[in-house]
PDB file of all heavy atoms in Angstrom:
ATOM      1  N   GLY A 123     161.739  55.573 134.206  1.00  0.00           N
ATOM      2  CA  GLY A 123     161.831  54.167 133.818  1.00  0.00           C
ATOM      3  C   GLY A 123     162.906  53.420 134.585  1.00  0.00           C
ATOM      4  O   GLY A 123     162.778  52.232 134.877  1.00  0.00           O
ATOM      5  N   ALA A 124     163.972  54.125 134.944  1.00  0.00           N
ATOM      6  CA  ALA A 124     165.058  53.499 135.693  1.00  0.00           C
ATOM      7  C   ALA A 124     164.762  53.444 137.193  1.00  0.00           C
ATOM      8  O   ALA A 124     165.157  52.503 137.876  1.00  0.00           O
ATOM      9  CB  ALA A 124     166.357  54.264 135.451  1.00  0.00           C
ATOM     10  N   ILE A 125     164.035  54.438 137.695  1.00  0.00           N
ATOM     11  CA  ILE A 125     163.768  54.505 139.144  1.00  0.00           C
ATOM     12  C   ILE A 125     162.665  53.548 139.575  1.00  0.00           C
ATOM     13  O   ILE A 125     162.792  52.878 140.611  1.00  0.00           O
ATOM     14  CB  ILE A 125     163.383  55.939 139.569  1.00  0.00           C
ATOM     15  CG1 ILE A 125     164.604  56.834 139.535  1.00  0.00           C
ATOM     16  CG2 ILE A 125     162.777  55.955 140.961  1.00  0.00           C
ATOM     17  CD1 ILE A 125     164.323  58.265 139.896  1.00  0.00           C
ATOM     18  N   MET A 126     161.585  53.496 138.848  1.00  0.00           N
ATOM     19  CA  MET A 126     160.393  52.775 139.323  1.00  0.00           C
ATOM     20  C   MET A 126     160.659  51.314 139.688  1.00  0.00           C
ATOM     21  O   MET A 126     160.154  50.844 140.703  1.00  0.00           O
ATOM     22  CB  MET A 126     159.233  52.908 138.326  1.00  0.00           C
ATOM     23  CG  MET A 126     158.667  54.324 138.268  1.00  0.00           C
ATOM     24  SD  MET A 126     158.339  55.105 139.866  1.00  0.00           S
ATOM     25  CE  MET A 126     156.911  54.207 140.407  1.00  0.00           C
ATOM     26  N   PRO A 127     161.454  50.558 138.935  1.00  0.00           N
ATOM     27  CA  PRO A 127     161.740  49.191 139.383  1.00  0.00           C
ATOM     28  C   PRO A 127     162.503  49.151 140.717  1.00  0.00           C
ATOM     29  O   PRO A 127     162.340  48.222 141.499  1.00  0.00           O
ATOM     30  CB  PRO A 127     162.595  48.603 138.259  1.00  0.00           C
ATOM     31  CG  PRO A 127     162.285  49.433 137.062  1.00  0.00           C
ATOM     32  CD  PRO A 127     161.975  50.793 137.576  1.00  0.00           C
ATOM     33  N   LYS A 128     163.303  50.162 140.978  1.00  0.00           N
ATOM     34  CA  LYS A 128     164.076  50.208 142.228  1.00  0.00           C
ATOM     35  C   LYS A 128     163.201  50.452 143.453  1.00  0.00           C
ATOM     36  O   LYS A 128     163.525  49.991 144.541  1.00  0.00           O
ATOM     37  CB  LYS A 128     165.136  51.317 142.163  1.00  0.00           C
ATOM     38  CG  LYS A 128     166.213  51.108 141.139  1.00  0.00           C
ATOM     39  CD  LYS A 128     167.161  52.289 141.144  1.00  0.00           C
ATOM     40  CE  LYS A 128     168.209  52.180 140.061  1.00  0.00           C
ATOM     41  NZ  LYS A 128     169.103  53.343 140.040  1.00  0.00           N
ATOM     42  N   VAL A 129     162.126  51.213 143.269  1.00  0.00           N
ATOM     43  CA  VAL A 129     161.301  51.613 144.415  1.00  0.00           C
ATOM     44  C   VAL A 129     159.923  50.954 144.403  1.00  0.00           C
ATOM     45  O   VAL A 129     159.053  51.334 145.169  1.00  0.00           O
ATOM     46  CB  VAL A 129     161.142  53.156 144.477  1.00  0.00           C
ATOM     47  CG1 VAL A 129     162.481  53.830 144.625  1.00  0.00           C
ATOM     48  CG2 VAL A 129     160.399  53.693 143.269  1.00  0.00           C
ATOM     49  N   LYS A 130     159.759  49.954 143.570  1.00  0.00           N
ATOM     50  CA  LYS A 130     158.460  49.313 143.390  1.00  0.00           C
ATOM     51  C   LYS A 130     157.803  48.938 144.729  1.00  0.00           C
ATOM     52  O   LYS A 130     158.364  48.184 145.517  1.00  0.00           O
ATOM     53  CB  LYS A 130     158.626  48.060 142.546  1.00  0.00           C
ATOM     54  CG  LYS A 130     157.329  47.401 142.179  1.00  0.00           C
ATOM     55  CD  LYS A 130     157.573  46.251 141.242  1.00  0.00           C
ATOM     56  CE  LYS A 130     156.270  45.848 140.626  1.00  0.00           C
ATOM     57  NZ  LYS A 130     156.401  45.408 139.291  1.00  0.00           N
ATOM     58  N   GLY A 131     156.623  49.502 144.964  1.00  0.00           N
ATOM     59  CA  GLY A 131     155.873  49.203 146.167  1.00  0.00           C
ATOM     60  C   GLY A 131     156.369  49.896 147.420  1.00  0.00           C
ATOM     61  O   GLY A 131     155.739  49.843 148.454  1.00  0.00           O
ATOM     62  N   ARG A 132     157.512  50.577 147.314  1.00  0.00           N
ATOM     63  CA  ARG A 132     158.087  51.210 148.504  1.00  0.00           C
ATOM     64  C   ARG A 132     157.998  52.723 148.456  1.00  0.00           C
ATOM     65  O   ARG A 132     158.390  53.400 149.393  1.00  0.00           O
ATOM     66  CB  ARG A 132     159.547  50.795 148.678  1.00  0.00           C
ATOM     67  CG  ARG A 132     159.704  49.298 148.866  1.00  0.00           C
ATOM     68  CD  ARG A 132     161.110  48.859 149.136  1.00  0.00           C
ATOM     69  NE  ARG A 132     162.064  49.420 148.185  1.00  0.00           N
ATOM     70  CZ  ARG A 132     163.332  49.701 148.487  1.00  0.00           C
ATOM     71  NH1 ARG A 132     163.790  49.496 149.671  1.00  0.00           N
ATOM     72  NH2 ARG A 132     164.141  50.188 147.572  1.00  0.00           N
ATOM     73  N   ALA A 133     157.465  53.276 147.348  1.00  0.00           N
ATOM     74  CA  ALA A 133     157.308  54.723 147.236  1.00  0.00           C
ATOM     75  C   ALA A 133     156.159  55.024 146.287  1.00  0.00           C
ATOM     76  O   ALA A 133     155.916  54.292 145.327  1.00  0.00           O
ATOM     77  CB  ALA A 133     158.591  55.362 146.719  1.00  0.00           C
ATOM     78  N   ASP A 134     155.471  56.105 146.568  1.00  0.00           N
ATOM     79  CA  ASP A 134     154.357  56.542 145.736  1.00  0.00           C
ATOM     80  C   ASP A 134     154.903  57.147 144.447  1.00  0.00           C
ATOM     81  O   ASP A 134     155.830  57.964 144.472  1.00  0.00           O
ATOM     82  CB  ASP A 134     153.533  57.570 146.519  1.00  0.00           C
ATOM     83  CG  ASP A 134     152.301  58.017 145.771  1.00  0.00           C
ATOM     84  OD1 ASP A 134     151.697  57.177 145.067  1.00  0.00           O
ATOM     85  OD2 ASP A 134     151.932  59.205 145.886  1.00  0.00           O
ATOM     86  N   GLY A 135     154.338  56.744 143.328  1.00  0.00           N
ATOM     87  CA  GLY A 135     154.814  57.210 142.026  1.00  0.00           C
ATOM     88  C   GLY A 135     154.745  58.719 141.862  1.00  0.00           C
ATOM     89  O   GLY A 135     155.623  59.328 141.238  1.00  0.00           O
ATOM     90  N   SER A 136     153.715  59.348 142.426  1.00  0.00           N
ATOM     91  CA  SER A 136     153.593  60.801 142.290  1.00  0.00           C
ATOM     92  C   SER A 136     154.703  61.514 143.059  1.00  0.00           C
ATOM     93  O   SER A 136     155.214  62.549 142.622  1.00  0.00           O
ATOM     94  CB  SER A 136     152.218  61.274 142.767  1.00  0.00           C
ATOM     95  OG  SER A 136     151.998  60.923 144.107  1.00  0.00           O
TER      96      SER A 136
END
Side-chain angles (χ1 to χ4, degrees):
I125 287 178
M126 291 313 288
K128 295 178 184 178
V129 300
K130 186 175 194 145
R132 299 184 311 149
D134 184 36
S136 59

